[in-house]
Each structure stands twice: as C-alpha cells, then as structure tokens.
Amino acid sequence: MRIAIDAMGGDFAPDSTVKGAMAAAQEWSDTQIILVGHQDRLKPLMTDAPANLILHHAEEVIEAEDEPVRAVRRKKDSSMVVAGRLVHDKEADAMISAGNTGALMTTGLLVVGRMEGIERPALAPIIPTMDGRGVLALDLGANMDAKPEHLAQYALMGSIYREKVAGISKPRVGLLNVGTEAKKGNELTKAAYPLLAELPINFIGNVEARDVLTGACDVLVCDGFAGNILLKSLEGTAGALFSVLKQEFTKSLKNKLAAAVLMPSLRGMKQMMDYKQHGGAPLLGLSGLVVKSHGSSDSEAIKNGVRQARLAIENRLTESISQEISGKRVESI
C-alpha cells in the first residue's frame, strides 16, 4: 500500500503530520508512507525515519485562508495538489490531508477526479454514539445544496462503506429529518424518501437529530448544510459539557475528591467523543481514496487516518462503490 500525506496541511503541520506519519510507518511496515511537502521543512523532522517513509517534494502550501478553487488552480505545486496528483496517477492508493477543507474538495474533483455516476462527492465522518459503533454521516459539509438523487447516492455509498470498512452486515440507513413519519420534512427530504426506499439497502426511514447519538442508525444521510449544522452543534455541546464538568469538579475539595473517583470513567467518555480516534472523514464519490483529517489533528489523529485509509484500501472501498454505481443499482435516479 502507498499512502500520501499532505505534510503541510493542518493547524500543527508539519510537526504533527511528520510525527504521525513516522508512527504509522513503524506500525505498518507493509505500507509505504509518502510525505508530501517542502523538503527543507520536512527533512529536519525525519531523523531516524523508517525505510518505508519517503519524502516527495512540493514547493507550495495551500493556506487555511486561501480561496479553494483559485488556490488549487494556481498552486499546482502545493503539497495538497501534488498528493492528489499522486492518487490520480496511481502512484499512491490514497491521500490524507488536514488542510483547507474546501481546497481538498476541489482537489478531489479537479485533480483526483469524480467517480463515474456520482454527481456530488460527500464528506463522511464518523459521529461517536453511545453504543460505541458510531454513525457514518454524509454529507457533512462538502456540498451545501443537494438534490434528492444526491441523497440517494450518499445512502448507497455510505451503506457500502459501513459494510466494507466497518464490517457491518446490512447497515441501517436513516434519513435526517424533523420527524419519523415518511411524509415529514422539507421538499428535499420528502422527495428523497421514496428514492432511498427503492435502493437495495437497509433503509429504516427518517431519523431525528435527538436520536443520532443513541445509535438509531449506522448511516445517516443529509444535505451538507443540515449535516454541518448537526456536526458543529454536537461538537459545541460536547465541548461545553466538558467545560462545565471541569468547573464543577474544581469548585471545592469535596468535588475534587469526587472527580478523582470518576476520572477513569470521564476519560473513557472523552476518548469515545474524541475525533482523533476516528482519523478522518473520507470524501466518498471520488475515483481515488481521499481522507480529510480534522484541521487540529495531532500525530495520533494522523496515524489513525493512515489506519482508516489502510482498511479502505484492503477492502477495496473505491472499487466496490464504483462497481455498485456502474452496475445500475441506482438506475432509477
């Protein structure tokens, strides 16, 4: 396996990306890790690097504030675009980046290429759930607007992902809505519902946002606007909850003693909600595997991103989605 990492993308790059890449290379000797970035900044960080960790020079960097389309078109020698080109040219089986999300989406579309039969690729992160299984939610921000047929494509791709990568037999697919009744929702969800019901997937109907964290489904389908609001709301709630707990547990000696007793359980809960454990979100619907890591990813998140990419490659995720789409399983869309 050959996995390219955009070493210059992310809040803590290149230190975190190099450290994570080195840990991944040591963990999986059968995988070649390709660090893409400026050699003058990366070489000093690669002391005692494993033999399966190599450097691929890229002169430029796409910054967080760059306008996505303009940056991808003008910065053709940026670490993100070069990594995407490696995937397109079959010199890498996957790429990982914690950089500018819009630019990565643009790189996926313009450089890696869209899968035939898919109109809109989707950003598909795992949202932690109380049962520990997590839910794959898509789209959570790649496309702000969507048509009913796009949601049907998301549902099919998400179902294949959960089956191939997570090993879930007949994953339950739900449609994010304001009620569970089939005729509830806006024009988009009401039109999408019958399309999802006709697909060869385990469609369980509408799912309300309040039931997402209880593990109501394995795949949650929504447009990017509603999905991104859901994701940001959950992230904000989790952050606020832990801040309140910290304040309460440090108010008095009695509370501090109680915190000491509860600390192992609290750490376990925080770890369950930690994005670093999931590694990143695949952009499903591209002709090659592209994984978006969190912008503030540390070395552990980068390493877990490699683990996630390895699983997808081993299970031929991209090929499986392509075969399903070309096999006319969404012919009615």
Side-chain angles (χ1 to χ4, degrees), residues 79-90:
S79 54
M80 184 184 292
V81 173
V82 171
R85 198 177 302 131
L86 290 174
V87 175
H88 176 269
D89 295 341
K90 310 299 182 186

Side-chain angles (χ1 to χ4, degrees), residues 3-38:
I3 298 174
I5 298 178
D6 169 16
M8 312 305 291
D11 298 342
F12 305 116
D15 299 67
S16 61
T17 47
V18 173
K19 190 179 295 185
M22 290 183 68
Q26 291 169 349
E27 179 82 15
W28 300 292
S29 59
D30 61 341
T31 302
Q32 184 181 72
I33 308 295
I34 308 168
L35 271 176
V36 183
H38 202 289

Side-chain angles (χ1 to χ4, degrees), residues 218-273:
D218 301 303
V219 178
L220 183 70
V221 176
C222 53
D223 65 274
F225 184 78
N228 198 262
I229 290 175
L230 171 68
L231 179 64
K232 297 293 174 57
S233 297
L234 292 175
E235 288 180 340
T237 301
L241 176 61
F242 284 114
S243 294
V244 169
L245 287 174
K246 185 176 180 179
Q247 290 174 9
E248 289 298 321
F249 282 138
T250 55
K251 274 187 175 180
S252 65
L253 177 59
K254 182 175 68 175
N255 288 10
K256 289 178 181 178
L257 291 173
V261 175
L262 292 171
M263 195 55 67
S265 297
L266 291 173
R267 284 201 185 101
M269 184 172 69
K270 188 174 182 180
Q271 186 177 34
M272 184 180 72
M273 303 296 291

Side-chain angles (χ1 to χ4, degrees), residues 14-286:
D15 299 67
S16 61
T17 47
V18 173
K19 190 179 295 185
M22 290 183 68
Q26 291 169 349
E27 179 82 15
W28 300 292
S29 59
D30 61 341
T31 302
Q32 184 181 72
I33 308 295
I34 308 168
L35 271 176
V36 183
H38 202 289
Q39 58 186 10
D40 292 346
R41 295 188 64 186
L42 298 183
K43 277 186 176 179
L45 302 173
M46 295 175 64
T47 54
D48 299 321
N52 57 325
L53 179 67
I54 65 172
L55 172 62
H56 190 106
H57 179 69
E59 191 70 25
E60 300 173 291
V61 178
I62 292 180
E63 306 291 349
E65 63 273 10
D66 284 348
E67 195 283 319
V69 176
R70 183 180 298 130
V72 171
R73 286 179 172 166
R74 292 185 178 181
K75 295 183 176 181
K76 297 185 183 298
D77 197 30
S78 63
S79 54
M80 184 184 292
V81 173
V82 171
R85 198 177 302 131
L86 290 174
V87 175
H88 176 269
D89 295 341
K90 310 299 182 186
E91 295 178 32
D93 302 302
M95 72 165 285
I96 300 168
S97 176
N100 185 316
T101 302
L104 185 62
M105 182 66 181
T106 304
T107 297
L109 289 170
L110 301 183
V111 181
V112 178
R114 188 174 57 207
M115 185 181 293
E116 186 177 354
I118 295 294
E119 292 186 31
R120 299 277 184 89
L123 188 65
I126 292 285
I127 295 177
T129 56
M130 293 172 64
D131 59 6
R133 287 164 62 105
V135 56
L136 183 80
L138 67 166
D139 173 31
L140 291 201
N143 310 284
M144 290 298 105
D145 298 301
K147 297 177 182 178
E149 50 268 31
H150 297 156
L151 298 191
Q153 292 176 356
Y154 299 164
L156 183 58
M157 291 191 296
S159 181
I160 295 169
Y161 182 93
R162 289 298 262 170
E163 186 175 351
K164 293 290 182 180
V165 177
I168 299 174
S169 177
K170 296 182 180 180
R172 300 161 299 154
V173 181
L175 178 64
L176 182 65
N177 212 326
V178 295
T180 57
E181 299 87 349
K183 294 184 179 181
K184 276 286 184 79
N186 56 16
E187 294 302 316
L188 173 63
T189 55
K190 285 189 284 189
Y193 191 102
L195 295 182
L196 270 65
E198 292 171 4
L199 289 174
I201 59 175
N202 182 17
F203 179 53
I204 62 169
N206 291 327
V207 172
E208 294 186 62
R210 64 183 177 187
D211 297 322
V212 171
L213 295 184
T214 62
C217 59
D218 301 303
V219 178
L220 183 70
V221 176
C222 53
D223 65 274
F225 184 78
N228 198 262
I229 290 175
L230 171 68
L231 179 64
K232 297 293 174 57
S233 297
L234 292 175
E235 288 180 340
T237 301
L241 176 61
F242 284 114
S243 294
V244 169
L245 287 174
K246 185 176 180 179
Q247 290 174 9
E248 289 298 321
F249 282 138
T250 55
K251 274 187 175 180
S252 65
L253 177 59
K254 182 175 68 175
N255 288 10
K256 289 178 181 178
L257 291 173
V261 175
L262 292 171
M263 195 55 67
S265 297
L266 291 173
R267 284 201 185 101
M269 184 172 69
K270 188 174 182 180
Q271 186 177 34
M272 184 180 72
M273 303 296 291
D274 192 356
Y275 69 86
K276 294 192 291 291
Q277 302 303 315
H278 299 286
L283 278 169
L284 299 180
L286 299 174

